[in-house]
Amino acid sequence: MATRMKLKLKTVFVLYFMVSLMGLVYALMQLGQRCDCTEHDMPKDRTISRLRGELHRLQEQMRKSEATKQPQKQPLKPTPLPIIYVITPTYARLVQKAELTRLSQTFLHVPQLHWIVVEDSPHKTPLVTDLLVKSGLTYTHLHMPTAKDRKMQEGDPSWLKPRGVEQRNEGLRWLREDRRAQPGGDNQQGVVYFADDDNTYSLQIFEEMRNTMRVSVWPVGLVGGMKYERPVVEGGKVVRFHTGWRPSRPFPLDMAGFAVSLKLVLTNAEACFDGEAPMGFLESSFLQGLVTMDELEPKADNCSKVLVWHTRTEKPKMKREEALQAQGLGSDPAVEV
Amino acid sequence: MPKRRDILAIVLIVLPWTLLITVWHQSAIAPLLAIRKACHHLVKEIFIIPERLAVRHHRLSDDGVERRREAGGQAQDSKEYCASDKDIVEVVRTEYVYTRPPPWSDVLPTIHIITPTYSRPVQKAELTRLANTFLHVPNLHWILVEDSQRRTPLVTRLLRETGLNYTHLNVETPRNYKLRGDTRDPRIPRGTMQRNLALRWLRETFNANSSQAGIVYFADDDNTYSLELFEEMRSTRKVSVWPVAFVGGLRYESPKVNAAGKVYGWKTVFDPHRPFAIDMAGFAINLRLILFKPQAYFKLRGVKGGYQESSLLRELVTLNDLEPKAANCTKILVWHTRTEKPVLVNEGKKGFTDPNVEI
């Protein structure tokens, strides 16, 4: 009995020893790792599980909306959507940052869009550089100063000299050079659109223009001294243009009223905007060599819907600012407006 | 042959140890791993999504900030998880950009945006580009109030097509004051009745005791808003303020903020001694404050030019309670742009274009 007891005791002790040893080893292992034991209390756990539930719900929603959308929106695979190259000339003035900001907010909704911003400046400004970086868009930042005699002066009315000519031509030049360097040459899918920074664009217009074969056209609101200007479509073809100002122009369109396919831009390497053209003939100077009226593709429901507006932004009144600056008390120029 | 007593003895000895170990294991290890994995995923997916808007500090709540720091500290451990999750993150990120509007979150306070609008040729254009901006902002509720006798089909259709979360109201400002030409009874400033109607709607719809967090912002339809502005105003506790560009004849007007981070004055030229020398686009109010003070409205009549904002704010808050945003009121996140009236000379008297085409 005694030996059995002794044995029992020994076993017990051995058992205790083994268990304690295991526990100790385990504790030692844990010491080596980072331990946030102090921070894990119930509220945090609750918030974590709530956020996790949140996350799953959001993902569910996205998956659901993805399922109802067309299958062509696959951002990871090479997408069949043609790229829209938007060429925007811009110049420094008070409202420039505001205009480019709201323009970028519109473009951010459009997939496969490449924004080509051309500044009217001898060098790239930090304002536009920072804005483009922060925008999250695919972009190209160029600059091309306008010749002094072509540049508009302070008091000039907006129609006096053509604006943005050198900048748009620079955009075209870059695009041609960049696309030439790509494999596939002239067989690339894409559309080129000239978007001024003060106009207003609905999201539908970009989907309308995406499948342009040659040159597509559509109505533009608030331009030409009228509520809208538009091409008149009969039998699916453009027969004439409905405009109140000089309808005898070859293409009485606004810059925002047409888009050209990339292929056409690349094959016609010489086509560009003519700064010497008479007022209102800027668009015609470009389109004349590219296409004839019956080849135009009408969009926006046979040119019956207005999807882009030629809005213009007022010049902000700076009377008090100028008065202050005369006294040397102007607002902090380091604050970017 | 082991006796029952011995077995009992062994069990009694071993049991406390096993209990100790299992309890310790459960409480220490599992949450640790869970936190690591959860933080990593949550940081990548919930926090990365708003970063798409180029916002550096996304504050969901105080817990959220701590979690981010935690996760940041463990980032080097979780890097090996990153590679496989990268594809998922990319898809989520791009999908978020094209999903209009972003999915509703239960955590973010809702921003109620009150916009008065009226019919004019540029109305549809203004509302379109405003909608394009708002479609990027999560948890946004747009309250559009028309200055009209009844809701116009143009606005109704536009709101429906955007897919935004909206409320469409209308109230007509009586025009007879303008015609009367009575200098002693000036006309009601534009937009006042519409904003008041929206405030009344909010008070009727939301219960003061509900936990639904909300921020109220007055956004005119011709201004320009950066996306960062909405994230700045989301953390408003009472009333927050920031600079506005192109108002008061200056490059920008801004509140004066002292070293303690409190507003003590207004950097304006036009009447800086107003109680609140700020533009309508320069402040946001917490919904709870609006519900708590149900008598606070914009004053309709007898308000001097530039005092309209003060007529509401002085009933809600004092200068001391204002919270400066936008890096202590040093960054411009909203511009008071105005759109030119389009020249429509070629329409002539009878109208040249088809009136059925909506612009």
Side-chain angles (χ1 to χ4, degrees), chain A residues 281-319:
Chain A
F281 281 77
L282 201 60
E283 295 84 1
S284 308
S285 70
F286 178 62
L287 290 172
Q288 251 172 339
L290 289 178
V291 78
T292 61
M293 181 152 73
D294 58 292
E295 285 174 343
L296 294 174
E297 299 150 51
K299 301 284 177 189
D301 210 1
N302 269 344
C303 293
S304 63
K305 293 220 209 100
V306 174
L307 299 173
V308 57
W309 297 263
H310 193 272
T311 44
R312 292 170 53 81
T313 306
E314 270 183 25
K315 195 163 167 227
K317 299 196 181 75
M318 289 284 126
K319 281 191 314 214

Side-chain angles (χ1 to χ4, degrees), chain A residues 80-150:
Chain A
L81 276 182
I83 304 180
I84 301 180
Y85 295 94
V86 180
I87 299 181
T88 299
T90 183
Y91 65 104
R93 72 254 197 221
L94 283 168
V95 295
Q96 181 188 36
K97 190 176 180 189
E99 302 282 40
L100 293 177
T101 300
R102 56 184 170 185
L103 203 59
S104 68
Q105 286 162 358
T106 299
F107 290 162
L108 208 56
H109 288 297
V110 185
Q112 291 297 98
L113 184 143
H114 186 130
W115 196 17
I116 303 172
V117 179
V118 194
E119 292 197 71
D120 183 354
S121 154
H123 39 249
K124 298 187 194 179
T125 58
L127 186 150
V128 177
T129 312
D130 288 338
L131 190 143
L132 288 174
V133 166
K134 284 207 200 108
S135 67
L137 290 163
T138 311
Y139 68 90
T140 298
H141 186 185
L142 306 169
H143 64 97
M144 171 63 68
T146 311
K148 274 217 171 47
D149 56 343
R150 293 249 197 95

Side-chain angles (χ1 to χ4, degrees), chain A residues 16 26 44 54 59 61 94 105 108-109 201 224-228 312 314 317-318 321 332 335, chain B residues 13 17 25 29 45 66 97 106 132-133 136 225 246 249-251 338 340 343-344 346-347 352 354:
Chain A
Y16 247 120
Y26 187 80
K44 289 265 185 234
E54 193 58 38
Q59 281 178 331
Q61 269 184 331
L94 283 168
Q105 286 162 358
L108 208 56
H109 288 297
Y201 307 92
M226 301 209 298
K227 287 209 188 117
Y228 60 88
R312 292 170 53 81
E314 270 183 25
K317 299 196 181 75
M318 289 284 126
E321 180 76 36
D332 185 1
V335 176
Chain B
I13 291 162
W17 284 102
H25 176 89
I29 313 284
E45 311 217 21
E66 270 193 273
V97 174
D106 279 336
N132 287 343
T133 301
H136 287 294
Y225 309 92
F246 310 141
L250 296 171
R251 274 173 79 229
R338 292 168 54 83
E340 270 184 24
V343 167
L344 297 179
N346 285 337
E347 289 284 348
F352 190 59
D354 182 0

